[in-house]
Each structure stands twice: as C-alpha cells, then as structure tokens.
Amino acid sequence: MSTLEIKGLVASVAGQQILNGIDLTVRSGEVHAIMGPNGAGKSTLSAVIMGKPGYTVHAGQVLLDGVDLLTLPAWQRAQAGMHLVMQYPSEVPGVGLTDMLAEAYAARGRSVEGLADSVADEAERIHFPVALLDRSLNVDLSGGEKKRNETLQLALLQPKFAILDELDSGLDIDALRDCSRRVEDATNESGPNGGLGVIAITHYNRLLEELHPDQVHILVKGRIVESGGPELADRLEIEGYEAFAGADAAAPAAPKKPSLDDLFAL
Ligand code: ADP
Ligand code: MG
C-alpha cells in the first residue's frame, strides 16, 4: 500500500503563478478525478508532479511514501513509481516501443525476459494492432492508437501511481472503453504495490463511468474548490463550472499576500 500526498503545492510557469495551494492525498487502488475549466492548471499540476522542466515550485511537497518527489529529477520520479499518460503523447522517431520498455524495465531492476510476449499479450488485451508494435514510439499513430499505446505502457510498467491527463481526449467510444477499463483493472489488481492509484484529469463523465472514481475534485484557478463523491461530476454536468467559480474566492487554501515580487511580476 502506497500513498501519494500533495501538500500546499504552489507553482508558477513563465512568471505566472498557476497552482495556488493544492492539497490532495491518493492511496493505492483509489481513483481521484480532477475536473476543471480550461486553463485551471490541471496539466500544470501533472507537469509539476512529474518534474517537467520550466515550472517553478514556490511552496509545498509531493510525497510518495514519505519521499519528496520534488527533490528528484523526472526519471527518478518515474523509477520511484510515478507515471504520466500525457494529454498529447510525444512522437519519438527511431525509438521502438519494446526497446523503450526494455530500458525502463532495466532501470527498475526488472528482468526483460519474455518482454516481447508480454507486450504482445497486452496489445491484444487493449486492442492495439500488433502490426503497429514495430513502429517508432507513437509515430504516425492515430489519436486513439496513441492512447492505447500509452495505456499499454502503463499496464506493463506497473507504476504505483498514474496521472491520466485527459486520457479521453481524441478517443472514440471503443478506445475510451478499452483504455479506461484497462486502467480500472490495474486499480483492482494487487501487484507488488497494491492496486494502481490514479489521478484522472478529465472533462467528461464518460471516462468516469468506466473508471469509477472514489473522489472527484474541482480545480478552478489553481485551487481545489470542491471535493466529493462521483455525484459531484453529475452536478458539474448540470450546473457547469460557473457554479463553482465563486467558491474560488472563499477557498481558504494559501491566501496570497501581496509582496514586493508582485510589483515586478509583469
Ligand atoms: P489546464 O490543463 O487546466 O487546461 P494548464 O495547466 O495547461 O491548464 O494551463 C494553466 C495556465 O498556465 C494557462 O494559462 C497556460 O497558458 C499556462 N501555461 C501552462 N504551461 C505553460 C508554459 N509552459 N508556458 C507558459 N504558460 C503556460
Ligand atoms: Mg490540460
């Protein structure tokens, strides 16, 4: 059983403060959905947790079983058990899927014996065309194929926690069902670390109907303004984000005091 604890996270990018005090705890096997309007800071949150360059953390911690990930380079965060399914998966010409997975296995001290078979089995399970396995990573794949490919990697690497940044964007209904069911299965499989813990960033209830979130959080202007059960996503569908925008002002997290820096922020 593992715990991912985000505490008081304040971060900026390009001189602009985007995350204004995020607190969130996810345990093995749990699914937490994060919903919020465009520009709220959802992808920024995933970038900061994973260690994407260009983001500055001003306060807070991201603890994986007590170890502060923010002190580690991105590759060590992955090695520690974090995984990001990107909103827009990168194409990596010249690097094959199995080669990449073999490197990742080796970095985790796992044997690569039988890896090609595992990849083929997993591809079949998620309906990723086996003929495409020899392509360079994500090169010339359709949107749906890319997300199936990303989900396949997630399933094989068996991280402790995965952040899905709009797994559902660019997916047709079948691909959405296959990918989200595979993730849902991983949350229920008790591997060496217990079930996968998930932070699922999404705009749509459709994904959540498959993923069955334990909690839903609404992120507005870099703050979680409301948390609740799956019914919160239904409420959002009816009321829209506007109903929650007002909560932003009342949110107690990380009140921002004016400082000298603000004078120079522009
Ligand atoms: P969301 O994923 O919730 O739609 P993002 O986290 O992508 O929102 O973006 C939040 C804000 O941060 C936006 O105003 C966006 O333009 C800005 N932002 C994010 N990443 C960068 C970056 N690398 N450089 C400049 N601005 C960025
Ligand atoms: Mg985003």
Side-chain angles (χ1 to χ4, degrees):
M1 172 65 105
S2 288
T3 307
L4 180 69
E5 242 181 315
I6 302 165
K7 286 177 162 179
L9 191 59
V10 178
S12 62
V13 61
Q16 200 187 349
Q17 191 165 310
I18 305 294
L19 302 183
N20 296 309
I22 305 277
D23 293 286
L24 179 65
T25 299
V26 183
R27 295 184 181 79
S28 296
E30 291 181 353
V31 176
H32 290 248
I34 296 188
M35 308 182 85
N38 291 326
K42 303 180 300 296
S43 294
T44 300
L45 176 63
S46 65
V48 170
I49 295 172
M50 294 308 297
K52 185 175 173 184
Y55 295 79
T56 308
V57 175
H58 302 286
Q61 292 178 306
V62 179
L63 301 170
L64 174 55
D65 294 330
V67 175
D68 193 353
L69 295 176
L70 299 179
T71 63
L72 305 176
W75 64 272
Q76 283 184 353
R77 299 183 198 196
Q79 220 174 44
M82 297 299 303
H83 188 97
L84 171 66
V85 175
M86 285 180 279
Q87 185 168 0
Y88 306 107
S90 309
E91 298 190 1
V92 192
V95 176
L97 172 66
T98 312
D99 295 337
M100 187 278 288
L101 285 170
E103 289 292 332
Y105 269 43
R108 288 160 176 74
R110 281 170 67 182
S111 163
V112 296
E113 218 183 298
L115 175 61
D117 289 342
S118 308
V119 171
D121 289 349
E122 201 52 69
E124 200 172 327
R125 182 165 172 183
I126 199 155
H127 302 133
F128 182 78
V130 178
L132 300 180
L133 285 174
D134 294 331
R135 289 235 182 120
S136 290
L137 209 56
N138 286 326
V139 172
D140 294 331
L141 297 187
S142 72
E145 287 163 352
K146 280 184 185 167
K147 296 287 174 99
R148 285 184 205 264
N149 186 306
E150 293 285 310
T151 308
L152 178 156
Q153 294 164 40
L154 167 67
L156 285 168
L157 289 172
Q158 298 179 332
K160 293 176 179 162
F161 292 96
I163 304 171
L164 315 176
D165 193 356
E166 300 198 28
L167 175 67
D168 42 8
S169 76
L171 283 189
D172 61 33
I173 298 275
D174 290 350
L176 175 68
R177 189 194 54 229
D178 289 342
C179 289
S180 50
R181 285 199 184 159
R182 185 63 192 88
V183 174
E184 166 81 0
D185 285 351
T187 65
N188 293 322
E189 279 162 11
S190 37
N193 314 311
L196 175 72
V198 173
I199 295 176
I201 295 168
T202 183
H203 285 294
Y204 302 108
N205 260 351
R206 251 182 4 190
L207 178 78
L208 302 181
E209 279 160 16
E210 299 286 353
L211 260 185
H212 307 123
D214 298 278
Q215 279 198 55
V216 174
H217 309 276
I218 297 184
L219 186 77
V220 178
K221 294 183 189 159
R223 284 198 181 98
I224 291 177
V225 295
E226 185 122 0
S227 296
E231 71 287 348
L232 191 52
D234 299 330
R235 211 181 116 198
L236 194 61
E237 194 109 310
I238 297 164
E239 298 179 18
Y241 289 120
E242 238 167 62
F244 299 94
D248 174 42
K256 194 171 180 303
K257 292 200 185 87
S259 75
L260 255 189
D261 284 346
D262 292 332
L263 288 175
F264 301 101
L266 299 175

